[in-house]
Structure formats: C-alpha cells, structure tokens
Amino acid sequence: MSRRAAPSRSRRTAAACAVAAAAIATPVVLHGAAAGDPAPARAGDAAAQDAAPTAAGVLFDDFDYTAHDDPRLRQNGWSVRGYAGGPGLPDAGWSAQNVTFPAGEGGTVLNLAASTDGTQAGTLQAEVYTQERKFKEGTYAARVRFSDEPRTGPDGDEVVQTFFAINDLTGPMAPDYSEYDFEYLPNGGWGQRDHAMFATSWETYQPDPWLSDNESTVGAASHAGWRDLVFTIDDERIVYHIDGELFAEHGAYYLPERPMSINVNQWFIDLAPLDGFRVYDQQVDWVYYAGEEILSPEQVQGRVAALRSEGVSFRDTVG
C-alpha cells in the first residue's frame, strides 16, 4: 500500500462488528484462534541487556523539536504527512500544521491533532512516520498520551489514536505484508460502543473486495492519560504490553517477512452529528526501538532513563 494509499484501519470494521457483544473490560481475542494462556516475553538477563544495547541497532527519539518544519526532523529520519489518502474518511485531509511540539514531560512532546468542523472536507488528521522501512525483529516502545475527550468542542467523534509498525502491500493478499498496531478508540467504533484498545497483528489483506487475515485483541476500557506501550517481535510470537502488563500475544503465523516503518497517527473513523469545531490531541513523549532484542517493559524504561541521563535526545544506529 505504500504508506497506506488504501485505508488500513477502517478495513477491520466488519470483523469487529461481529464481536461487538463480546466487548468486556479485560482483553479478548478477535479474528484469530484463541490464544490460550499467554507466555511472558523472554527478556534474557536484565542486567546485561540494560548495560549493553543491541549490536543490531537502536532508535531513540525524545522529540526535542520546535515545529513540524524543524529541519532536524527530516535529518533524523522522520516524515510529517501532508498528502491525501487512507486511513480515515475519504474526503478528510492530513495536515503537517497539525503536528506540533509543546512543552510536556521533562521537555517537549510530539502532539498530533485531529480536528473537524463536522464535515469530511473540514476534517484534518495528523501522522509522523520514519522515512525508512528498516525495523523488523526486536522491541518497539513509546510513551503515549491518549485522550478521551477533545481539547476543545463537543465530544463524540469516532477517533483513532495509534502507535504501530507497517510495510507496504505489494499486491492483494501478498504474504510479505506486515503490520502491528496499538490503536485506541476513545469513543468506540469497529463494533465497540465505548472506550476500546486494539492490539492487532496482520498477515495480509486485499482492499477490493475486502478480505483480511489478522488477529486482534481488544480491551474495552479507558486508556486515557500517559501509557507505556511495548510490543516485541521474535522468531515465535508478537507480544504487546501496556504499562508493564501483558495485553496480547499473537503467534508465529503473523511474524514479519520484510522490514517496516515506525508510525504514530490520529484520524477519524466517523464523525458524530455535532455542531461546532472540535480538536482531539494525542501526544508522544518518546519512541524507542532495539533491533533483534526482546526487552521487558522494565528494561525499556531503564534504557530510556539512561539515554536521558546522558543528555541524549536522539540516537539512530539501525542500519
């Protein structure tokens, strides 16, 4: 799909609707076979991994930038989206101006604003992603602030707030497609009536007629506020953690065949029949990736704390 030229999120609507009645406060598996009792991520020796980052490379960004057009963003390998296309509403746009860097936890944070006047033509969304697809097995992590209510205006739109890795669909049902998502829906959608967090691992899909092959876990509860998100990919499984707690585990069938980009975005599934302009915010404090290492959430926190104590705001050693 080359940066999701066709929608990659709204495509799971039909499958999610089929399980709407099953939405509960604890995670449940959707779309795929039952997972059974998930095994914990294998972190190896904690002290050794905390002290010696992977030889396969590390990406860390503290988002110490001034604006969407700060030249250091592109120099550090990021793109700010400004072109049309999915996911989201067909006539909605993507605006680089909706990406800002306000003061936040210990410095600046990345803010992604999704805004609408209630019409598709008056809707703008936001996305930031790595220019290169060079991330595969290893540990992906981000500290993300989700919002249940808009910063301004009436509440009720079906909005999606995300952290994910993805590559391009080279053809319908191409077996080398990969995508791994954290997606928070503060106002429901995809068959959920209210707050819902999705963790989804994709094997492949075809856009028309729609056919998908994935496994998704949903937790029907609010995740508003700062959350530590970690997913790991080894040669056997994909494991998702939220705030240090196991959230989902998906099997080897969904492992990636090709490298991916790292992405964050906020966009609309659908608009509520409301009057007035509204703006939803999603924020990102930092992003961390360790190639070919399976780190526990605690180890990720140790790595990030060590980088910050050294005064490192950006590092990329991923080849």
Side-chain angles (χ1 to χ4, degrees), residues 120-176:
Q120 288 196 30
T123 296
L124 292 175
Q125 306 162 125
E127 179 169 31
V128 175
Y129 57 93
T130 60
Q131 297 164 21
E132 292 187 73
R133 299 187 187 108
K134 60 179 182 178
F135 308 96
K136 201 165 178 255
E137 290 83 4
T139 299
Y140 299 74
R143 182 162 173 77
V144 179
R145 181 179 178 273
F146 298 115
S147 301
D148 276 352
E149 299 175 351
R151 180 199 337 148
T152 184
D155 188 19
D157 302 296
E158 292 183 358
V159 66
V160 185
Q161 303 166 2
T162 76
F163 167 57
F164 62 104
I166 193 171
N167 60 29
D168 58 320
L169 185 71
T170 57
M173 301 303 289
D176 61 351

Side-chain angles (χ1 to χ4, degrees), residues 103-307:
E105 293 196 336
T108 57
V109 296
L110 165 63
N111 193 87
L112 303 165
S115 60
T116 183
D117 63 2
T119 70
Q120 288 196 30
T123 296
L124 292 175
Q125 306 162 125
E127 179 169 31
V128 175
Y129 57 93
T130 60
Q131 297 164 21
E132 292 187 73
R133 299 187 187 108
K134 60 179 182 178
F135 308 96
K136 201 165 178 255
E137 290 83 4
T139 299
Y140 299 74
R143 182 162 173 77
V144 179
R145 181 179 178 273
F146 298 115
S147 301
D148 276 352
E149 299 175 351
R151 180 199 337 148
T152 184
D155 188 19
D157 302 296
E158 292 183 358
V159 66
V160 185
Q161 303 166 2
T162 76
F163 167 57
F164 62 104
I166 193 171
N167 60 29
D168 58 320
L169 185 71
T170 57
M173 301 303 289
D176 61 351
Y177 178 73
S178 302
E179 181 180 349
Y180 308 96
D181 305 324
F182 276 111
E183 295 168 305
Y184 181 53
L185 282 58
N187 289 322
W190 299 336
Q192 305 302 304
R193 296 172 61 90
D194 206 341
H195 316 298
M197 175 69 78
F198 283 77
T200 306
S201 302
W202 290 83
E203 171 58 19
T204 189
Y205 76 99
Q206 72 177 26
D208 187 23
W210 174 247
L211 181 63
S212 64
D213 188 356
N214 60 34
E215 184 173 336
S216 188
T217 300
V218 61
S222 174
H223 286 76
W226 285 105
R227 302 293 173 184
D228 294 321
L229 309 179
V230 177
F231 66 89
T232 57
I233 303 173
D234 62 16
D235 58 357
E236 296 181 356
R237 61 181 66 85
I238 305 100
V239 180
Y240 298 82
H241 284 85
I242 301 176
D243 290 340
E245 299 294 326
L246 181 66
F247 184 79
E249 179 179 336
H250 302 153
Y253 177 73
Y254 302 99
L255 293 175
E257 289 81 18
R258 291 186 293 125
M260 299 170 287
S261 60
I262 293 175
N263 308 244
V264 288
N265 66 15
Q266 186 178 203
W267 53 278
F268 292 95
I269 301 172
D270 201 0
L271 303 177
L274 302 168
D275 293 327
F277 186 75
R278 51 266 194 194
V279 181
Y280 296 83
D281 288 324
Q282 173 190 348
Q283 295 185 338
V284 185
D285 187 19
W286 51 259
V287 165
Y288 182 85
Y289 168 82
E292 299 180 9
E293 275 193 299
I294 305 304
L295 302 177
S296 70
E298 294 78 13
Q299 289 172 320
V300 170
Q301 293 295 326
R303 292 279 184 88
V304 171
L307 287 163

Side-chain angles (χ1 to χ4, degrees), residues 36-128:
D37 294 329
R42 296 171 297 168
D45 181 77
Q49 292 191 39
D50 285 340
T54 173
V58 164
L59 171 69
F60 171 70
D61 203 321
D62 210 11
F63 294 109
D64 181 22
Y65 303 104
T66 58
H68 72 274
D69 55 358
D70 186 329
R72 295 176 299 154
L73 263 174
R74 178 160 290 278
Q75 292 167 8
N76 289 345
W78 296 102
S79 286
V80 179
R81 183 171 178 176
Y83 57 88
L89 302 169
D91 295 328
W94 297 82
S95 173
Q97 284 75 21
N98 278 29
V99 174
T100 57
F101 296 90
E105 293 196 336
T108 57
V109 296
L110 165 63
N111 193 87
L112 303 165
S115 60
T116 183
D117 63 2
T119 70
Q120 288 196 30
T123 296
L124 292 175
Q125 306 162 125
E127 179 169 31
V128 175

